[in-house]
């Protein structure tokens, strides 16, 4: 008998339109002027008059009930309005992949606001794990807590970007500086690169050069061979603190002296030049203070012109 009652209830649910109302102690299902009530004990009323259940061959019911959930005080707070990404939107944003979560809006004074996330950004990954869709995104986010640091991979303006992100908390309200809420730490930036004048120090072998200079009574180059080169260097951020660039530097030393015993003039023109392609990793230590470690591949040459002339 219980199976017959349950099957009857499911049959009515399949006859659209159906209105389902969830109350505190019972669920009310309405179809036209027919009403079925299921209370918290599982008892069902309102099934009188149902017939021909033997004709039912297949039944599929999918029911989503929105139940307010109590969220933990340390639950992670993003501060975005997310949505599943559809194909037309992906095309409009020139996004080449078939997964991701679209940001349709930003909550003011939220972590997303602080870290400069924006509408139409596409969240691709959280700590290297793909956000395939909105449901998977919520699942990935659920393992974190307020204050946890993650790396977000997003798609914006035709390129992927990595953002070091710190989750906030929903309670109390997300207003930086409010008592009880720590200020969101601002990420130290490694910078974006650029072009500028850069001094560089090189160490080379100068013994032979100094021997020639001494024979002509000219002052020598530094005995340790460390030369201060002047020139230009430029580089651009290629992601995650890595920079690709190039540099060109040179050192020049021009010496001229009269040779009284001959009436001639001795001239020495020394030049050391180097250039190369650079790759380095930057480490921001404080605002305006960045350390970097890298390598260069390129070439260098030095020349020494000796002139002995009577003009």
């Amino acid at each position: 008998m219980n199976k017959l009652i349950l099957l009857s209830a499911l049959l009515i649910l399949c006859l659209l339109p159906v209105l389902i109302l969830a109350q505190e102690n019972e669920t009310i299902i309405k179809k036209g002027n027919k009403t079925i009530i299921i209370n918290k004990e599982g008892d069902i009323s309102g099934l009188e008059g149902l017939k021909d259940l033997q004709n039912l061959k297949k039944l599929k019911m999918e029911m989503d009930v929105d139940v307010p959930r109590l969220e933990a005080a340390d639950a992670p707070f993003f501060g975005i309005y997310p949505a599943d990404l559809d194909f037309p939107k992906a095309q409009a944003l020139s996004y080449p992949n078939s997964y991701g979560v679209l940001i349709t809006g930003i909550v003011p004074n939220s972590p997303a606001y602080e870290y400069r996330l924006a509408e139409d950004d596409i969240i691709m990954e959280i700590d290297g794990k793909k956000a395939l869709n909105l449901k998977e995104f919520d699942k990935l986010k659920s393992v974190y807590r307020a204050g946890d640091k993650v790396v977000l991979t997003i798609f914006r303006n035709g390129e992927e970007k990595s953002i070091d992100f710190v989750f906030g908390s929903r309670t109390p309200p997300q207003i930086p500086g409010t008592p009880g809420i720590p200020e969101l730490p601002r990420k130290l930036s490694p910078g974006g690169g650029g072009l500028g004048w850069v001094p560089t120090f090189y160490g080379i072998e100068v013994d032979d050069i100094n021997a020639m200079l001494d024979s002509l009574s000219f002052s020598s180059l530094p005995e340790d061979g460390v030369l201060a080169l002047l020139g230009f260097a430029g580089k651009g951020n290629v992601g995650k603190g890595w920079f690709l660039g190039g540099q060109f530097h040179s050192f020049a030393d021009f010496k001229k002296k009269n040779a009284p015993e001959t009436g001639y003039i001795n001239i020495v023109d020394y030049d050391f030049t180097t250039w190369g392609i650079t790759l380095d990793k930057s480490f921001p230590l404080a605002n305006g203070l960045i350390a970097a470690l890298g390598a260069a591949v390129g070439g260098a040459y030095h020349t020494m012109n000796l002139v002995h002339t009577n003009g």
Side-chain angles (χ1 to χ4, degrees), residues 239-262:
K240 298 185 178 180
W242 287 97
F243 288 80
L244 184 65
Q247 62 180 23
F248 177 89
H249 295 90
S250 67
F251 171 88
D253 190 10
F254 182 83
K255 304 174 185 293
K256 183 178 180 180
K257 178 180 288 188
N258 292 324
E261 65 279 5
T262 63

Side-chain angles (χ1 to χ4, degrees), residues 178-195:
T178 301
I181 301 181
E183 291 274 359
L184 289 173
R186 291 191 176 272
K187 177 180 177 296
L188 294 175
S189 172
L195 175 67

Side-chain angles (χ1 to χ4, degrees), residues 135-155:
K135 184 176 180 180
E136 187 67 19
F137 171 74
D138 288 336
K139 187 184 299 182
L140 293 175
K141 188 179 67 170
S142 66
V143 303
Y144 297 101
R145 295 292 177 264
D148 285 350
K149 298 179 181 180
V150 297
V151 177
L152 295 182
T153 303
I154 68 169
F155 184 86

Side-chain angles (χ1 to χ4, degrees), residues 74-258:
D74 62 348
F77 179 52
F78 240 107
I80 63 174
Y81 298 103
D84 279 320
L85 181 67
D86 56 31
F87 181 71
K89 187 64 175 179
Q91 273 194 319
L93 297 176
S94 300
Y95 181 59
N97 300 313
S98 58
Y99 66 91
V101 172
L102 178 68
I103 297 179
T104 61
I106 301 295
V107 178
N109 298 319
S110 67
Y113 177 85
E114 293 292 329
Y115 285 96
R116 305 297 190 267
L117 294 180
E119 183 180 343
D120 284 343
D121 284 351
I122 298 173
I123 297 178
M124 301 173 61
E125 297 177 0
I126 300 179
D127 271 347
K129 302 178 182 66
K130 288 185 178 180
L132 300 176
N133 48 43
L134 187 55
K135 184 176 180 180
E136 187 67 19
F137 171 74
D138 288 336
K139 187 184 299 182
L140 293 175
K141 188 179 67 170
S142 66
V143 303
Y144 297 101
R145 295 292 177 264
D148 285 350
K149 298 179 181 180
V150 297
V151 177
L152 295 182
T153 303
I154 68 169
F155 184 86
R156 176 190 295 169
N157 297 330
E159 61 181 13
E160 293 183 21
K161 295 179 180 290
S162 294
I163 297 176
D164 293 333
F165 187 89
V166 179
F167 287 110
S169 173
R170 285 186 180 274
T171 54
Q174 292 294 302
I175 304 176
T178 301
I181 301 181
E183 291 274 359
L184 289 173
R186 291 191 176 272
K187 177 180 177 296
L188 294 175
S189 172
L195 175 67
W197 174 85
V198 179
T200 306
F201 294 91
Y202 275 90
I204 64 172
E205 178 61 53
V206 296
D207 290 346
D208 292 345
I209 297 171
N210 281 340
M212 284 194 290
L213 293 176
D214 290 341
S215 69
L216 297 172
S217 300
F218 283 108
S219 59
S220 303
L221 294 177
E223 292 184 0
D224 56 8
V226 177
L227 305 180
L229 280 65
L230 302 180
F232 293 90
K235 61 182 180 179
N237 193 333
V238 294
K240 298 185 178 180
W242 287 97
F243 288 80
L244 184 65
Q247 62 180 23
F248 177 89
H249 295 90
S250 67
F251 171 88
D253 190 10
F254 182 83
K255 304 174 185 293
K256 183 178 180 180
K257 178 180 288 188
N258 292 324

